[in-house]
Amino acid sequence: MLLCLGIGIWAMTRTKSSHDFFVAGRNLGIFVTAFAVFSTTLSGFGFVGGPGLVYKMGMSSIWMVVIAILGFSISSFLHGKRLRLLSELGDAQSLPDVVFLRYNRNSTRVLIAIAIIFGVLGYLATQILAMSVVLKDILSATDYFADISLFTSMLISCSILVFYSVTGGIIASVYTDLVQGGIMVVAAVLIFFTVVYTFDNGFTEMNQIIQADNAAAIGPWGTLGLVGCMSWVLLFGLGGSGQPHVITKFLMNKKVSDAKYILPVSVGGYILAGLLWISIGLVMRALVLNGGHPALDSPDAAASQFLQHYAHPVLAGIVFAGLFAAIMSTADAFLNIGTAAVMHDIPKAMGIKIKNELLTARVTTVVITLLSAIFAIYTGDLVAIIGAFAWGTFAAAIVPVVTLGFNWKRATPMAANIAIVSSLLINFGIKLCNISMPFGLDIGAFSMITSLLIFIGVSYVTKPAELEYDVARVMDM
Amino acid sequence: MQDRVVQYIFVLLLFLLGVIVALWMYPQPEGIIGLPHPEIKGMLIGPKMDVFDDNIHLMHFLFGLLNIVILLYFILLGAIRRGALGKIRYWFFSGAFLYLVTYTLTFFSNLRYLREEHHLFFGGWPLPTAWMMYAMWFTPLIILIGYIVTFRDSIISEDDELEFATLIKLRLNKKQGE
């Protein structure tokens, strides 16, 4: 945490304008960008939520890791070039800026910004909840804070997060991603070997324990079943290209040709870091099943319980450090994107000029943090479930408009607007009305499928926007 | 060519929606997406094999297959450059074919796994899970390697970058003129 705060203060000295605050001056190198891409994807979701889901459901959630190579490839093929070129052409500071350049409509810019705000509130709530859960778990093991409540942990977490984000902007986020990514890769490999040696016969014995209790849990679809797992494959494979906190990293690298190296570095990092997700979840399930560890109060406690009881204290400390760095950098990225939507994208679309953008950005950051914290307290869901819903919100709104729309000249602004609105209505409607999805189908995946169909269908029956000459040339490249 | 790929994506999505509607209308057996563990709070267990019938197996297989094919078509969309597929096509089609094969092997291997009492392990995992972890996870590396190796031919050439630099200059001049 102190290291992150230090990076935040250093980043503050490098943040001179809103251009620096939002897109890091479009000056990032290959490794910084690649590490930012994979570590912002993994975040607190991967450290806390992922192992929690594995503990709860067996192999089901591991598809979110298994699909990574294909998923990152989709983002690189569809965004690595086009999004980067269009953002430089239009001197974009945010994703809605690039959307405006493509569709030439302020309505599309506003709607994308609104979709982003909804997703940010949900995803940020995930990060805050993850940080609070782990902080509570660590502090309650001490004498002084033995009775600390989740609410108090959340207050502490939010205060640190706000200070960090307000001082450093996106520069703090990406450089913390670099540090965090490095820690995660090293720690994940060490944790993997720690897990292997927890049982005498390593993974085989561990998986046999799980299998003896319930064969399906260690089968490829886990307890959720094929439909749930493969809907996550679609949502995390294709939906990854609709996550603003990930794809806006493609706005920030120095040269478009860097994409050639960003893909393999980010994939490699994600695979190694994903070992932590897989191994901790499975070993905790096996330990609880064979009586080696008491049942967990909550699946979200799987990671912190393993680290506190089975890992070397130094290794546990390093992993916790990486976890907090992961949460803070991802949360900062979301705050950055949400702030841009509120005080840059929507006012710009409405022709409102904000005085002192940098100060207003910082105030907006505080407000969004508080709203997300309130959402985190009242939702009552697991970290990973909130995260998956927020991921789905982004995917359903952004994949048609950006992933498909930036690679298909026939896409129309009317289709974009209708797709965004319908994605939000379907996604939130299903969740709020508690509509049961068949056979474990993920809500976000369903919303994404329907919004894609609507987007393509409406594009074929409406008139495409006239593209500016240079935008059309870039779309042909 | 882009338009044709999008049309295929549209048709595939329609088929996928059709399978989803079929699943929605089909009676869902109890516990098919997991049951609470009888002894351990917070843990789920999977259903027994006898809750699955042939219709469910078919719909499941199609659902998974369509998801994968849609993902592959999106990669294809991104691989089109100036209306054509370059050298990436060899890497793409071989990777895509192998990926579909490994999915099929995982699916059918899992059917057998859930029926049998004694389970074969490979590399620390039950066999169908080994297909997932070793094959399905890493087969897309073929496409990734193709991306790197054919980057200048299939993604962006140096001529494209020069043209882009010219477009930037023109836009800047236009802005200054305004």
Side-chain angles (χ1 to χ4, degrees):
Chain A
M1 274 193 193
L2 288 174
L3 177 62
C4 289
L5 292 176
I7 293 174
I9 292 166
W10 168 78
M12 186 170 67
T13 63
R14 285 192 56 171
T15 304
K16 303 275 187 263
S17 65
S18 56
H19 202 256
D20 291 336
F21 192 84
F22 292 123
V23 291
R26 205 170 277 116
N27 201 29
L28 299 181
I30 292 168
F31 273 94
V32 175
T33 310
F35 271 61
V37 166
F38 93 76
S39 50
T40 208
T41 308
L42 219 40
S43 72
F45 187 108
F47 265 113
V48 176
L53 276 184
V54 176
Y55 172 85
K56 182 177 175 181
M57 294 176 169
M59 293 297 291
S60 304
S61 73
I62 290 174
W63 284 97
M64 297 178 194
V65 181
V66 165
I67 198 56
I69 297 176
L70 207 59
F72 279 108
S73 297
I74 288 172
S75 292
S76 288
F77 271 98
L78 291 161
H79 290 319
K81 168 181 66 185
R82 202 106 42 218
L83 189 60
R84 174 64 182 76
L85 292 178
L86 284 173
S87 78
E88 187 176 345
L89 191 67
D91 195 25
Q93 290 189 33
S94 66
L95 189 61
D97 275 347
V98 200
V99 167
F100 177 76
L101 186 71
R102 164 65 182 89
Y103 293 101
N104 211 12
R105 291 281 191 282
N106 275 316
S107 55
T108 315
R109 194 209 297 253
V110 167
L111 285 170
I112 269 285
I114 291 171
I116 285 173
I117 291 166
F118 275 113
V120 161
L121 288 175
Y123 216 110
L124 189 55
T126 309
Q127 306 306 308
I128 292 171
L129 188 58
M131 193 166 167
S132 311
V133 161
V134 176
L135 193 62
K136 175 180 180 295
D137 219 40
I138 295 171
L139 292 177
S140 61
T142 63
D143 292 330
Y144 195 75
F145 292 105
D147 295 322
I148 191 167
S149 69
L150 187 64
F151 181 77
T152 309
S153 304
M154 201 173 277
L155 272 178
I156 300 170
S157 304
C158 287
S159 307
I160 296 167
L161 200 52
V162 163
F163 176 78
Y164 167 74
S165 302
V166 159
T167 48
I170 200 67
I171 294 179
S173 174
V174 294
Y175 281 95
T176 307
D177 277 334
L178 179 65
V179 168
Q180 166 224 325
I183 293 174
M184 280 168 84
V185 165
V186 171
V189 173
L190 293 172
I191 289 288
F192 178 78
F193 285 107
T194 305
V195 166
V196 167
Y197 290 110
T198 304
F199 290 93
D200 292 336
N201 286 327
F203 264 76
T204 304
E205 185 178 340
M206 190 171 82
N207 292 338
Q208 281 171 338
I209 291 169
I210 297 172
Q211 184 192 70
D213 175 70
N214 179 242
I218 201 65
W221 321 118
T223 65
L224 182 61
L226 182 147
V227 172
C229 293
M230 294 308 286
S231 64
W232 276 346
V233 160
L234 188 70
L235 184 63
F236 287 87
L238 180 59
S241 67
Q243 303 304 304
H245 59 300
V246 178
I247 64 176
T248 48
K249 302 298 191 285
F250 288 111
L251 308 185
M252 301 177 196
N253 54 305
K254 242 181 265 185
K255 295 182 291 176
V256 66
S257 54
D258 288 347
K260 180 178 174 183
Y261 305 106
I262 290 171
L263 173 60
V265 174
S266 52
V267 162
Y270 193 91
I271 288 173
L272 288 173
L275 291 176
L276 188 146
W277 178 328
I278 297 167
S279 53
I280 289 185
L282 287 175
V283 77
M284 286 309 295
R285 187 172 173 115
L287 282 167
V288 168
L289 284 170
N290 82 345
H293 191 93
L296 302 180
D297 290 333
S298 162
D300 282 344
S304 60
Q305 285 292 299
F306 177 80
L307 291 170
Q308 286 181 70
H309 292 97
Y310 302 98
H312 190 281
V314 171
L315 177 57
I318 291 169
V319 175
F320 279 123
L323 167 61
F324 284 116
I327 291 169
M328 286 170 73
S329 64
T330 302
D332 184 21
F334 278 117
L335 281 169
N336 190 278
I337 291 160
T339 302
V342 170
M343 51 73 53
H344 171 80
D345 299 311
I346 293 175
K348 200 165 178 179
M350 294 177 166
I352 301 167
K353 182 91 177 104
I354 303 278
K355 289 179 193 164
N356 200 340
E357 274 197 347
L358 201 51
L359 174 63
T360 317
R362 287 170 166 155
V363 169
T364 310
T365 298
V366 174
V367 171
I368 293 176
T369 307
L370 290 174
L371 287 174
S372 296
I374 292 167
F375 181 65
I377 292 170
Y378 288 108
T379 184
D381 269 333
L382 291 184
V383 168
I385 300 302
I386 306 171
F389 179 72
W391 184 285
T393 303
F394 283 137
I398 295 174
V399 165
V401 175
V402 178
T403 305
L404 184 51
F406 280 26
N407 290 278
W408 184 43
K409 281 160 98 171
R410 188 68 184 80
T412 70
M414 174 76 86
N417 291 353
I418 293 174
I420 295 167
V421 171
S422 63
S423 73
L424 292 172
L425 287 173
I426 293 169
N427 211 31
F428 282 90
I430 292 174
K431 185 81 172 161
L432 294 170
C433 297
N434 259 324
I435 296 172
S436 172
M437 302 303 288
F439 291 83
L441 177 68
D442 184 88
I443 297 171
F446 179 72
S447 306
M448 187 173 70
I449 292 164
T450 48
S451 65
L452 276 165
L453 279 166
I454 290 168
F455 180 75
I456 299 171
V458 174
S459 287
Y460 275 122
V461 299
T462 50
K463 203 174 149 210
E466 188 127 343
L467 293 173
E468 292 179 72
Y469 170 76
D470 46 8
V471 172
R473 291 302 301 141
V474 167
M475 289 193 68
D476 282 332
M477 285 179 184
Chain B
M1 194 178 177
Q2 269 179 353
D3 230 16
R4 204 161 4 119
V5 171
V6 174
Q7 284 166 9
Y8 285 137
I9 290 173
F10 186 67
V11 169
L12 287 164
L13 285 166
L14 276 174
F15 273 122
L16 185 59
L17 189 64
V19 172
I20 291 171
V21 169
L23 284 166
W24 228 322
M25 292 169 60
Y26 203 81
Q28 182 169 312
E30 200 180 315
I32 202 156
I33 59 168
L35 291 159
H37 195 286
E39 288 152 23
I40 298 166
K41 190 191 97 167
M43 221 185 255
L44 296 177
I45 55 172
K48 289 199 171 20
M49 191 62 184
D50 53 15
V51 307
F52 294 89
D53 60 31
D54 287 344
N55 291 328
I56 291 176
H57 285 314
L58 177 63
M59 288 189 287
H60 277 199
F61 179 74
L62 284 175
F63 183 85
L65 188 73
L66 285 166
N67 273 301
I68 290 171
V69 174
I70 287 167
L71 289 174
L72 292 169
Y73 261 92
F74 268 93
I75 290 189
L76 195 62
L77 184 66
I80 296 168
R81 190 180 148 258
R82 296 196 185 275
L85 268 183
K87 291 175 188 163
I88 187 80
R89 66 182 177 277
Y90 305 113
W91 298 89
F92 171 77
F93 287 116
S94 49
F97 174 72
L98 274 171
Y99 200 59
L100 292 167
V101 166
T102 53
Y103 163 71
T104 306
L105 286 167
T106 305
F107 180 86
F108 286 102
S109 169
N110 185 56
L111 290 186
R112 202 172 149 196
Y113 164 75
L114 289 175
R115 283 187 193 121
E116 289 173 355
E117 276 190 28
H118 300 286
H119 306 294
L120 179 65
F121 266 63
F122 180 83
W125 305 92
L127 187 60
T129 315
W131 278 117
M132 168 197 175
M133 296 299 283
Y134 298 126
M136 285 200 74
W137 192 350
F138 293 103
T139 307
L141 276 176
I142 297 170
I143 298 174
L144 185 152
I145 292 168
Y147 178 89
I148 298 167
V149 163
T150 68
F151 189 81
R152 282 301 185 192
D153 172 78
S154 300
I155 307 298
I156 186 164
S157 67
E158 281 162 2
D159 287 342
D160 288 338
E161 286 191 282
L162 285 171
E163 184 187 348
F164 182 70
T166 309
L167 293 173
I168 290 278
K169 273 198 196 115
L170 284 171
R171 193 170 259 254
L172 274 171
N173 291 340
K174 192 178 163 192
K175 243 186 189 170
Q176 280 162 2
E178 283 164 8

